[in-house]
Amino acid sequence: METQLPDDFRCPISLEIMSDPVILPSGHTFDRVSIQRWLDSGHRTCPITKLPLPEHPCLIPNHALRSLISNYTLVSPSKLQPCPQPQILISSLSSQSSHVGTKLNSLTHLVRLTKHDSGFRRKLTELGAAPGVLKCVGSDDPSLQEKALSLLLNLSLDDDNKVGLVAEGAINRVIKVLRFGSPDCRAIAATIITSLAVVEVNKATIGAYPDAIQALVWLLISGKGREKKEAATALYAICSFADNRRRAIDCEAVPILISLLDSGLERAIEVLGLLVKCKEGREEMMKVNGCVKVLVSVLRNGSSRGVQYGLFTLNCLCTCCERLCFEAINEGVVEICMGLMEEENEKIRRYTSSLVQTLRENHAFG
């Protein structure tokens, strides 16, 4: 199908057909997932024009282009290939008489059809697909559960679906997978939390669910590489809501995140950069032996985004504790800051200047 679609339907970054096109302040359109990944990497320029962007660029949904892509794919010749009607596929997911093989086949069809087609994703939710999909998410069969989670993730990509999926009970199902699913299923489940949390109201709803944040923190402890990274990403997504920061702190996330950061999981510094904004988070970080050393290591070796969060976190801690200022000095933070003052990234320079000022105000150095 993709080879028959106009090139304007492709994201300039991924070169794939856009499923959720959004407009940057520069006026250019990108797929949301691709441009968000670009921004999360610390870039603040338009990938096409290279012109500077605001610190927090607004991503405006390009409804006209999304509708055009959806309508175009509906009449694409490849769509004329024989395929069961969506209602039949959905019915098989909820039917008690359907065998596992039948459900797996239906899910495979639906995952393929929803991967790049936002119009079809909306159609499925309008047809009432969520209960059947969630029932399969709760299956004891790992293959069926994983395929159902992939479909749930696809459905969650559309902002119009996110609140409805939460209302249908998606969070309870996903939390159980975080606890008891296979490694691949747990990673997808954490990604679904991240996707659903894009809508602001869902952040509060997810955090209020018993064991939601605890399950993510548990995955940080027990999961492997991909699971840990997705769990940290999900925590970052929901902890932009202030009440969830305290919940994460109560679940003892701080020492776990610092340990993971020390082990090389840089995503952990982003979460710590949110938790440090509240008093309880700062207090917990001050209790962790070696916290300052780990943060200074991020300043020395981290990515641009990691350095930004490391500077912000360390500055917040040093502002509240003179002892930590001297610890930072002893770890060589002044020399590092002198180098960072020459960075092209304006945010890094600004955060570096703030940290140096904090150290001076605390008489840590002249």
Side-chain angles (χ1 to χ4, degrees), residues 34-295:
S34 297
I35 192 60
Q36 191 63 60
R37 188 179 297 117
W38 169 269
L39 296 172
D40 288 347
S41 297
H43 299 288
R44 285 301 177 269
T45 57
C46 173
I48 294 178
T49 66
K50 306 303 181 185
L51 293 175
L53 296 170
E55 190 56 47
H56 301 287
C58 181
L59 303 181
I60 303 173
N62 192 333
H63 294 297
L65 180 58
R66 184 163 73 171
S67 177
L68 188 61
I69 294 173
S70 176
N71 291 335
Y72 197 99
T73 57
L74 289 175
V75 298
S76 172
S78 65
K79 289 286 183 176
L80 301 178
Q81 297 176 358
C83 180
Q85 291 295 313
Q87 190 62 64
I88 296 174
L89 296 172
I90 293 170
S91 298
S92 72
L93 301 181
S94 300
S95 173
Q96 293 184 349
S97 61
S98 294
H99 296 295
V100 170
T102 301
K103 293 180 179 180
L104 193 56
N105 184 59
S106 295
L107 287 169
T108 300
H109 276 297
L110 292 171
V111 168
R112 177 175 57 82
L113 292 170
T114 55
K115 186 174 183 180
H116 297 295
D117 191 339
S118 60
F120 191 78
R121 291 196 289 265
R122 290 195 298 274
K123 182 178 181 180
L124 280 189
T125 54
E126 290 168 0
L127 290 172
V133 177
L134 292 174
K135 184 176 181 180
C136 292
V137 168
S139 171
D140 293 330
D141 185 283
S143 298
L144 190 64
Q145 185 178 74
E146 183 174 348
K147 192 65 71 173
L149 285 165
S150 296
L151 178 55
L152 182 60
L153 178 58
N154 286 354
L155 293 178
S156 75
L157 295 177
D158 278 22
D159 288 354
D160 293 340
N161 289 342
K162 297 180 191 293
V163 175
L165 289 172
V166 171
E168 291 278 1
I171 302 304
N172 267 334
R173 296 286 189 177
V174 169
I175 291 171
K176 290 180 181 178
V177 176
L178 289 172
R179 284 289 195 182
F180 306 112
S182 67
D184 286 340
C185 286
R186 291 200 295 260
I188 299 173
T191 307
I192 291 171
I193 294 289
T194 302
S195 177
L196 293 174
V198 168
V199 176
E200 198 66 28
V201 68
N202 279 353
K203 300 180 195 291
T205 304
I206 293 169
Y209 266 82
D211 299 329
I213 292 178
Q214 181 68 66
L216 290 170
V217 173
W218 178 84
L219 195 57
L220 289 176
I221 301 171
S222 64
K224 303 300 182 183
R226 182 189 171 198
E227 298 163 80
K228 291 179 186 291
K229 183 176 179 180
E230 295 299 342
T233 303
L235 279 173
Y236 177 78
I238 62 178
C239 283
S240 61
F241 180 69
D243 287 353
N244 289 340
R245 297 170 197 162
R246 296 181 181 87
R247 292 180 177 121
I249 293 162
D250 289 342
C251 292
E252 300 182 354
V254 168
I256 297 166
L257 288 165
I258 292 174
S259 176
L260 289 173
L261 181 60
D262 193 29
S263 300
L265 183 65
E266 192 176 81
R267 189 61 54 86
I269 187 59
E270 299 176 20
V271 188
L272 290 169
L274 293 176
L275 302 186
V276 78
K277 293 181 178 181
C278 64
K279 178 183 176 182
E280 296 88 346
R282 294 190 293 272
E283 290 175 347
E284 288 302 310
M285 291 180 205
M286 292 175 192
K287 295 177 184 177
V288 178
N289 289 329
C291 175
V292 169
K293 182 178 182 180
V294 173
L295 293 176

